[in-house]
Amino acid sequence: MTATIERGASTAPVSTPKEPSPAKVPTPKKPGRFLGSSNGKKALMAVTGAVMVLFLVLHMLGNLKIFLGRDSFNEYAEALRTLLEPIAPYRTVLTILEIGLVASVVLHMWAAISLARRAHHARPVKYVAKKSQATGYVTHIMRFGGITILLFLVWHLLDLTFGVVNPKGFDSAPADRMIAGFAASRWWVTVVYLVAVVMVGLHLRHGIWSAFQTLGWANRNRYRALKGIAALVSAVLVIGFLAPPLAITFGVVK
């Protein structure tokens, strides 16, 4: 008796090897991608903030020359307008510096608003826990303080730079405009100036500290020292800017 044995498939189905996928070509970074990131905006705020702090320091030193007399202050104002003469025409360098300062202010505000919007979209629902009083205080100072400073700058330029709202007008000497601008009869201008400068100081203290954090310097060992530096720089600038108008209002400088 012969048995017939049926044989199944002796081998498993062989799959066809896949062709290797082509290597991914790295996507070239688009210009401006860094500035579009949160870190880029924070770095931009730090750089433009440093530009504005440098301007404030130089501007404060110039204002303090009023204590040396009208001639000293007028010579300082004229020196700003004649920088690099005769190589550069009258007021050219000062105009370039002013354009750079305006650009820094605009970029600083743009970065701040962009970061605030990004934070809001990332967390559209507010936390159940309430913010601390310190956090709320800083938020209000940075938000409304920035608007207050901007409005004050417009008035300040119309008053002391262009003389539009100054009693002495544009054709007067810079020292005469300054003394007339903060005369005792215009005490309310001094009060507005005081409030605006204090706002600048509070804004500046937080801004300097934020710049230290952005640069990665605010570690445990430097925390108190950097906090102290931010507060000290702000206090010096506030006192330096308030000294001339208060001295004029109260008759120390005439």
Side-chain angles (χ1 to χ4, degrees), residues 74-103:
N74 289 333
E75 288 171 2
Y76 150 73
E78 184 64 17
L80 290 178
R81 291 159 174 77
T82 57
L83 283 172
L84 295 184
E85 273 195 346
I87 299 174
Y90 181 78
R91 215 185 185 284
T92 300
V93 176
L94 181 59
T95 300
I96 293 173
L97 293 175
E98 289 171 342
I99 293 173
L101 179 63
V102 171

Side-chain angles (χ1 to χ4, degrees), residues 95-211:
T95 300
I96 293 173
L97 293 175
E98 289 171 342
I99 293 173
L101 179 63
V102 171
S104 296
V105 172
V106 172
L107 290 173
H108 193 83
M109 293 182 65
W110 170 79
I113 294 171
S114 299
L115 286 172
R117 287 183 173 178
R118 180 167 294 182
H120 175 73
H121 290 311
R123 194 187 65 228
V125 180
K126 294 182 179 180
Y127 291 136
V128 176
K130 294 182 178 179
K131 292 182 179 180
S132 66
Q133 291 183 353
T135 303
Y137 161 79
V138 169
T139 301
H140 286 297
I141 287 298
M142 298 305 286
R143 182 180 301 168
F144 299 109
I147 297 173
T148 302
I149 294 168
L150 181 62
L151 293 175
F152 169 73
L153 282 176
V154 174
W155 168 268
H156 191 57
L157 291 172
L158 292 175
D159 187 15
L160 298 182
T161 301
F162 302 109
V164 176
V165 295
N166 189 278
K168 292 292 185 179
F170 177 76
D171 294 331
S172 60
D176 293 338
R177 282 201 302 271
M178 187 172 185
I179 292 173
F182 295 109
S185 59
R186 282 163 52 102
W187 59 268
W188 55 273
V189 175
T190 304
V191 172
V192 172
Y193 187 89
L194 188 151
V195 172
V197 169
V198 170
M199 283 288 188
V200 170
L202 295 174
H203 195 95
L204 188 61
R205 184 183 66 177
H206 180 74
I208 293 174
W209 171 243
S210 297

